[in-house]
Amino acid sequence: MGAKKENSDDEMDEKVKKYLRGEAANLEGLKDKKLKGQLAVREDLYGKSAKTAAKIEKWLLPSEGGYLEAEGIEKTWRIKQESIAREVDILSSRNQYDIVLPELGPYSLDFTSNGRYMAAAGRKGHLAIVDMKTLNLIKEIQVRETVRDVAYLHNELFFAAAQKKYPYIYNRDGTELHCLKEHGAVLRLQFLKNHFLLASINKFGQLRYQDVTMGEMIGNFRTGLGRTDVMQVNPYNGVVALGHSSGTVTMWKPTSAVPLVKMLSHPGPVSSLAFHPNGHVMATSGRENKIKIWDLRKFEVIQTLPCHAKTLNFSQKGLLAAGTGSFIQILADFSGSQNYSSYMTHSMAKGYQVGKVLFRPYEDVLGIGHSMGWSSILIPGSGEPNFDSWVANPFETSKQRREKEVHSLLDKLPPETIMLDPTKVGTVRAAQKKEKPTKKEIEAEMEAAIETAKDTDFKKKTKGRNKPSKRATKRREMISRAKRPFLEQRTQEHETSRKKQKTEMPKSLQRFVRQKAT
Amino acid sequence: MKVKVISRSTDEFTRERSQDLQRVFRNFDPSLRSQEKAVEYVRALNAAKLDKIFARPFIGAMDGHRDSIKCMAKNPNYLKAIFSGSDDGDIRLWDMASRRTVCQFPGHQGAVQGLTVSTDGSILVSCGSDCTVRLWNVSDANLADSDNLSDNSAKPQAVYVWKNAFRAVDHQWDGDLFATAGAQVDIWNHNRSQPVNTFDWGSDTTISIRFNPGEPNILATSANDRSITLYDLRMSSPARKVIMRTKTNSIAWNPMEPMNFTAANEDCNCYSYDARKLEEAKCVHKDHVSAVMDIDFSPTGREFVTGSYDRTVRIFQYNGGHSREIYHTKRMQRVFCVKYSCDASYVISGSDDTNLRLWKAKASEQLGVVLPRERKKHEYLEAVKNRYKHLPEVKRIVRHRHLPKPVYKAANLRRTMIEAERRKEQRRKAHSAPGSIVTEPVRKRRIIKEVE
């Protein structure tokens, strides 16, 4: 009974830590008593609110997460989708299907942030919007051009398709709204939700950021590392990561022409990239059949997995989906210490080439875009069971969607807030240590000050007050006044060096300390 | 094999009828939200800007007096009313909602120097430079009768004549006595035509007087000999006195912390004292550029309002050094009296240009009925703005106030002079033997001595 209580206490502590969002401020060094008192009260309030949030998480959340547990000698990675469908209710088994559209090319998918709508784009020009709750096809259009990628903008009303020559923005009704000519032939599109920025990488390796609210082009950078079609946005801090054919992964922000980070991750080209929702873990895969799990705080490899992956994606709960050929492997880290191991597998019919895997937000579903259409399989435990209506609401009405659009536009972040560590906003920048000027520099400064003092013109006084001797004394006075701060500095330095010398010598020898000629 | 998949049934998560409220589900997990600090910063910036857009503190002016207004009194039982007395002997009762005179109390021959209302709201006491103290009956029934007649005048209940002109009057918070200040401090009872008690310490006129809200027998006065004196009615002699460098024009006790009072001084500062420890001020409130004429605390005890000779009204925090807000108008001349309304939402200023002005205490506050959702939103925006108000962009917007040119220039001049004085002091210290020059904190510097 005592051990159980201890366990639950530890659990609550963990939860409270999560809600505290970092360490408490150290108030020891503060001399300002008023400020110290105010900050102490605030820290107390934070502690209380974190505890309340932990209690709410424990008792008041409406849904529980999914899970898959094998019994006996069964292993979870041998369990097939059919056996899962048998055990699960009808509503969930509807989420398992295969849509076969063989003539229209490999499919790329994107979900809206609440997981309700899906946009599918076939290479041969097929664009479709599907309502995933009712599995209703809302609109499909044929643009009669190659479409390489599709991305939803801030809600289900707008999506962007990367077509043969330029990306286009379409409405939910299939009306073409904009043709983004500046981007060129785009290979990949990504939308940064908080900043309303559409990022694109094109055939010539040029990265562009465009603000979709006003249409302003924020950044246009030549990566200089060639053509690449591996691009992902880190949801935690908004940086865009590109994987190049030289094996380097570069991270970009819209306000600098030079990448923030350039890391060599694989000996060959990087084939795919994925970010964990907490922003600290990244998975990359290269052609050498290895998946590397990186810790982005230290930029170190945590784990290397011998697994081939043409496409990677992290789910909301941290499951990693790796797809290659017609085989999909789901990796999970059970211990919480970033040690990924195989959780589930899925083989599709031979001949289906997996193009893109994407977890559906807030559902235990994995969407797969492949060469013969798209499929959806059940992965228990991958989605976040409890949504927050103010963040993303799968049951949104149109009124709520309009309100949310307005509020998110009001909260639109300026592009300067994209940085590697987003918690630095509002903190104090560490004081830069200025180097002491060298002796030569000091001399030069003194000379310059003397020259300016010599050059000053004096007022021409009349009535016998303009005697040359007086003028000369005044000039000498100005020069000595200009010299004074430098001489004071010199004497101060002498004193400090002498004091240092004195303290370094043992006491009996201090009277012999001679000031060295500098 | 045990398996469970997330499956949400629509009726659990959506409303049943269109008359119901929409259901809202919350998950406070920080991993669902990214870049929280940047979002909060953007919201703080927008909140600061909206605050400035909605900042319209001036509500209206009450016109009617024919000479400058010297004193005001609040009736603690009747929120909408305020009494004001002017230099030609005219006392009026105003209804702040309609900003019109309800009742006039003519009678004083000279300037009305002090007004106060008894705690039960029945008697208005006025004193003037014609050496009289007049008591008027202002109970609620009386006022309600005269509501429909716009130009009603009342007769005084009693007139007491005494030896010298009076400068100020205040009523005990919890009792039957009131005190007048003039050549000496007199304690009166409603029914007696002569003062019950007299205090005299020092040879100069007492110019303001205030009873302590917590202890009904303690009162503080300030006199022309630059002193602040505390009296206890139970003792026959005055209790303590502190002499400052300049004269104190007015004193106000903090209603929530009755041992503290704040004194409005001629040297443009307000000094907050703890009545038990008068050797050092608790806090110095600096922001005015000319003598501070009147001061009044908010009923919350957290803020006070001051009116000054430099034609501005400022609102300070009770423990802060600089003002939170400044109100000024081209038409408002020297402010001689200010009052904070009893519901802590309004500030009334009476000035030299014969008008009383009604201002909001919080300049961008929404008046009237505020829905709970609106109130929560205001509180959130206030909190997020306070969290980021030290950052340069937000600080610039929050701090920005338009000052009239004379006040701006005077403030710059004062700042230069104080800076120069400080630099000289520093240099004197640096060039003399360490410890030979001792700087006193500002809180102590303006006090000459404390006398028992």
Side-chain angles (χ1 to χ4, degrees), chain B residues 23-233:
Chain B
R23 289 195 199 196
V24 169
F25 298 91
R26 300 305 309 271
N27 183 352
F28 297 101
D29 200 341
S31 60
L32 290 183
R33 301 159 169 81
S34 57
Q35 298 195 293
E36 290 173 303
K37 288 189 88 171
V39 170
E40 277 189 348
Y41 173 76
V42 167
R43 284 182 184 161
L45 199 59
N46 288 339
K49 291 179 186 169
L50 281 178
D51 227 13
K52 283 281 171 271
I53 291 173
F54 289 126
R56 287 153 168 263
F58 183 57
I59 299 175
M62 294 179 255
D63 195 15
H65 276 291
R66 283 180 296 275
D67 209 336
S68 78
I69 295 165
K70 270 285 150 52
C71 49
M72 294 196 292
K74 303 187 272 202
N75 187 338
N77 298 355
Y78 194 52
L79 203 56
K80 274 205 299 180
I82 187 131
F83 295 94
S84 63
S86 72
D87 264 354
D88 63 351
D90 191 14
I91 302 174
R92 283 174 191 243
L93 169 63
W94 300 88
D95 173 33
M96 285 198 271
S98 56
R99 295 198 286 283
R100 294 167 68 216
T101 309
V102 172
C103 192
Q104 288 195 12
F105 303 91
H108 272 283
Q109 310 295 351
V112 179
Q113 297 278 12
L115 277 179
T116 182
V117 182
S118 68
T119 320
D120 55 2
S122 57
I123 308 260
L124 166 72
V125 182
S126 67
C127 71
S129 35
D130 58 354
C131 314
T132 57
V133 172
R134 284 162 209 259
L135 275 75
W136 312 78
N137 192 348
V138 290
S139 53
D140 271 357
N142 218 352
L143 292 175
D145 277 342
S146 50
D147 236 349
N148 35 14
L149 300 159
S150 59
D151 194 35
N152 210 342
S153 44
K155 286 202 150 10
Q157 179 188 319
V159 180
Y160 304 143
V161 185
W162 197 234
K163 301 182 213 156
N164 316 88
F166 295 109
R167 291 295 296 273
V169 68
D170 195 33
H171 198 286
Q172 219 178 18
W173 281 64
D174 193 21
D176 226 10
L177 304 171
F178 64 89
T180 57
Q184 65 277 334
V185 177
D186 298 312
I187 315 293
W188 303 68
N189 193 320
H190 288 172
N191 311 315
R192 304 275 203 83
S193 64
Q194 288 188 346
V196 177
N197 206 344
T198 309
F199 291 107
D200 196 359
W201 187 7
S203 50
D204 237 328
T205 31
T206 333
I207 46 178
S208 81
I209 191 164
R210 279 272 184 262
F211 269 98
N212 187 325
E215 274 291 324
N217 290 315
I218 295 189
L219 58 97
T221 64
S222 73
N224 256 341
D225 62 354
R226 300 173 274 118
S227 67
I228 301 174
T229 318
L230 294 176
Y231 292 91
D232 190 335
L233 294 182

Side-chain angles (χ1 to χ4, degrees), chain A residues 317-474:
Chain A
K317 282 288 190 189
L319 300 183
L320 176 62
T324 161
S326 59
F327 179 68
I328 296 184
Q329 193 176 41
I330 316 289
L331 305 154
D333 108 42
F334 297 107
S335 57
S337 63
Q338 312 298 350
N339 195 354
Y340 282 84
S341 56
S342 189
Y343 175 55
M344 284 175 71
T345 60
H346 177 65
S347 316
M348 296 193 287
K350 242 182 136 62
Y352 283 30
Q353 299 287 324
V354 167
K356 182 168 181 179
V357 280
L358 196 58
F359 278 100
R360 198 171 136 200
Y362 303 105
E363 291 283 343
D364 280 340
V365 166
L366 176 69
I368 309 162
H370 48 78
S371 55
M372 294 292 197
W374 72 81
S375 324
S376 152
I377 57 174
L378 292 174
I379 312 286
S382 61
E384 169 66 54
N386 297 299
F387 60 87
D388 189 326
S389 309
W390 304 127
V391 172
N393 187 355
F395 300 95
E396 215 169 37
T397 61
S398 63
K399 241 189 177 175
Q400 286 175 334
R401 185 193 63 227
R402 285 199 303 259
E403 288 285 319
K404 184 158 186 295
E405 190 175 11
V406 173
H407 281 296
S408 52
L409 277 171
L410 285 173
D411 290 338
K412 180 178 89 149
L413 299 177
E416 298 86 41
T417 52
I418 297 177
M419 51 185 85
L420 276 178
D421 182 12
T423 56
K424 271 211 273 193
V425 175
T427 53
V428 178
R429 198 175 358 174
Q432 306 246 342
K433 232 188 143 190
K434 271 215 311 226
E435 293 163 3
K436 273 174 105 168
T438 59
K439 220 193 259 182
K440 276 211 172 128
E441 283 175 5
I442 300 176
E443 298 276 321
E445 269 177 43
M446 197 165 93
E447 297 293 322
I450 292 175
E451 284 301 310
T452 47
K454 277 192 186 159
D455 278 341
T456 46
D457 285 326
F458 294 116
K459 196 171 167 189
K460 287 223 162 64
K461 291 198 173 172
T462 53
K463 292 197 180 173
R465 284 192 280 254
N466 194 9
K467 286 201 214 141
S469 56
K470 283 213 178 132
R471 265 188 283 148
T473 18
K474 197 146 189 217

